[in-house]
Each structure stands twice: as structure tokens, then as C-alpha cells.
């Protein structure tokens, strides 16, 4: 099960219903959280107590964080630029029940364009992160001769992101 992660609520809603079966040993499902390399909270952040907002008004929460003062690079990742992640998703990654991977936006948009040309649906940049991971997992399965079911969460369309797509297709959308 693959989904994009900014703060974690989307991925949690998608994956948590099946997580109990994994914990109980009933299934060997792999859960993969995908984030941008420009805001690599789960893959490069620290597991620590931090506030959930820059103003410091929330209680301290234990999570993977880049620090409440983190300012993301100007990337087209929609909501995937938050400094922290859900305490529950963070703990599950820390405990090895979920994996995390990060991709640069050029690879994300490459996958999004391939998906749009193949499926006729223009994904938002957020779920395009998951699409990149789906493509990589499918290629891995092909190379290994493995037969796995890959499920991902397409959680938004890219109609409000046409400028980002134009920038990508024109060669003006650069990785940071």
C-alpha cells in the first residue's frame, strides 16, 4: 500500500484499516509512505518532540520532524511541505511497520505525466509522489519476477496545478 505523506492524515486514513491485520500477522502487507526530497521528514527528520506549528501553540508531540522553523524550498508538492508528520505514522515508521521513501520533484512529475498519458487522469503533485513509487515497485517486481498487488491512493487531480505541469514540460521545474 503506497501513499503520499505530508502531515500523514491522508496516508493514515488509507493504510490504518489494514494495519491491524499486519500487526496480527494475518498479512504481509508493505506500507510505503512517499514524501518529497525537499521536505524529507520521515526519511531524514529526527524522531523527537516538537510543536505542530511554527507559532509554537500546539502541545509537544513525538514525531519525525525537520523542526518547527523549517521552511521548505519552493517546490510544487502541494501539501507535502509540512515540517513534521503524524505522531502515529511517525511511530509506525520508527517501529518498522511502515517504510518511507523520498523523491525529487522531477521524478515525481515524470511519473505524473506517464500516468496521465496512460490512464487519462491528471494527478495532483501530492499523489504523483505515490505514483512514482508505484512505478518503481512495479519495475522491481518485473525485474525480480515477483507477482505482488500494488495499491495506491490517488487523492487529487492536478487541474489547479497546470502551471507546475507547464513548468515541468518546459524544463523550468528544477529540483532543489
Amino acid at each position: 500500500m503506497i501513499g503520499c505523506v505530508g502531515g500523514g492524515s491522508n496516508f493514515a486514513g488509507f493504510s490504518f484499516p489494514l494495519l491491524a491485520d499486519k500487526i496480527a500477522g494475518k498479512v504481509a502487507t508493505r506500507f510505503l509512505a512517499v514524501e518529497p526530497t525537499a521536505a524529507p521528514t520521515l526519511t531524514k527528520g529526527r524522531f523527537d518532540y516538537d510543536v505542530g506549528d511554527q507559532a509554537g501553540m500546539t502541545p509537544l508531540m513525538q514525531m519525525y520532524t525537520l523542526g518547527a522553523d523549517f521552511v521548505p524550498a519552493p517546490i510544487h508538492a502541494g501539501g507535502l511541505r509540512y515540517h513534521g508528520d503524524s505522531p502515529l505514522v511517525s511511530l509506525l515508521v520508527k517501529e518498522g511497520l511502515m517504510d518511507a521513501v523520498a523523491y525529487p520533484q522531477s521524478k515525481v512529475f515524470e511519473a505524473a505525466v506517464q500516468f496521465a498519458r496512460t490512464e487519462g487522469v491528471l494527478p495532483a503533485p501530492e499523489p504523483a509522489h505515490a505514483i512514482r513509487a508505484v512505478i518503481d515497485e512495479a519495475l522491481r517486481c518485473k525485474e525480480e519476477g515477483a507477482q505482488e498487488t500494488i495499491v495506491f491512493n490517488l487523492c487529487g487531480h492536478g487541474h489547479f496545478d497546470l502551471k507546475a505541469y507547464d513548468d515541468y514540460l518546459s524544463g523550468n521545474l528544477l529540483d532543489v
Side-chain angles (χ1 to χ4, degrees):
M1 296 194 62
I2 300 173
C4 61
V5 176
S9 61
N10 186 303
F11 186 62
F14 171 65
S15 63
F16 280 17
L18 295 175
L19 191 60
D21 287 340
K22 178 176 182 169
I23 293 169
K26 296 178 183 176
V27 296
T29 304
R30 180 173 176 227
F31 297 90
L32 184 59
V34 188
E35 61 188 5
T37 55
T41 310
L42 293 170
T43 55
K44 299 215 183 213
R46 67 184 190 282
F47 189 74
D48 202 355
Y49 284 94
D50 199 359
V51 293
D53 63 332
Q54 287 184 325
M57 301 297 288
T58 65
L60 290 174
M61 298 174 277
Q62 196 172 30
M63 62 179 150
Y64 277 103
T65 180
L66 298 169
D69 58 350
F70 172 74
V71 178
I75 59 169
H76 294 281
L80 304 186
R81 298 166 9 137
Y82 181 57
H83 75 275
D85 269 301
S86 152
L88 290 173
V89 170
S90 293
L91 181 62
L92 292 166
V93 169
K94 183 178 185 301
E95 295 296 322
L97 293 167
M98 292 182 164
D99 297 319
V101 65
Y103 289 104
Q105 66 181 357
S106 61
K107 292 288 190 186
V108 168
F109 274 87
E110 174 186 66
V113 169
Q114 180 179 348
F115 184 82
R117 288 180 173 151
T118 305
E119 299 297 326
V121 175
L122 184 68
E126 295 94 326
H129 286 73
I131 292 168
R132 172 77 267 160
V134 166
I135 292 169
D136 288 352
E137 287 295 308
L139 291 171
R140 177 191 56 79
C141 288
K142 182 178 180 180
E143 182 179 296
E144 295 174 358
Q147 292 186 354
E148 297 178 13
T149 301
I150 301 171
V151 180
F152 81 101
N153 189 12
L154 179 61
C155 58
H157 62 75
H159 298 147
F160 295 120
D161 301 291
L162 293 177
K163 173 71 170 113
Y165 277 97
D166 184 49
D167 287 346
Y168 170 74
L169 294 169
S170 301
N172 297 323
L173 189 69
L174 305 175
D175 292 328
V176 289

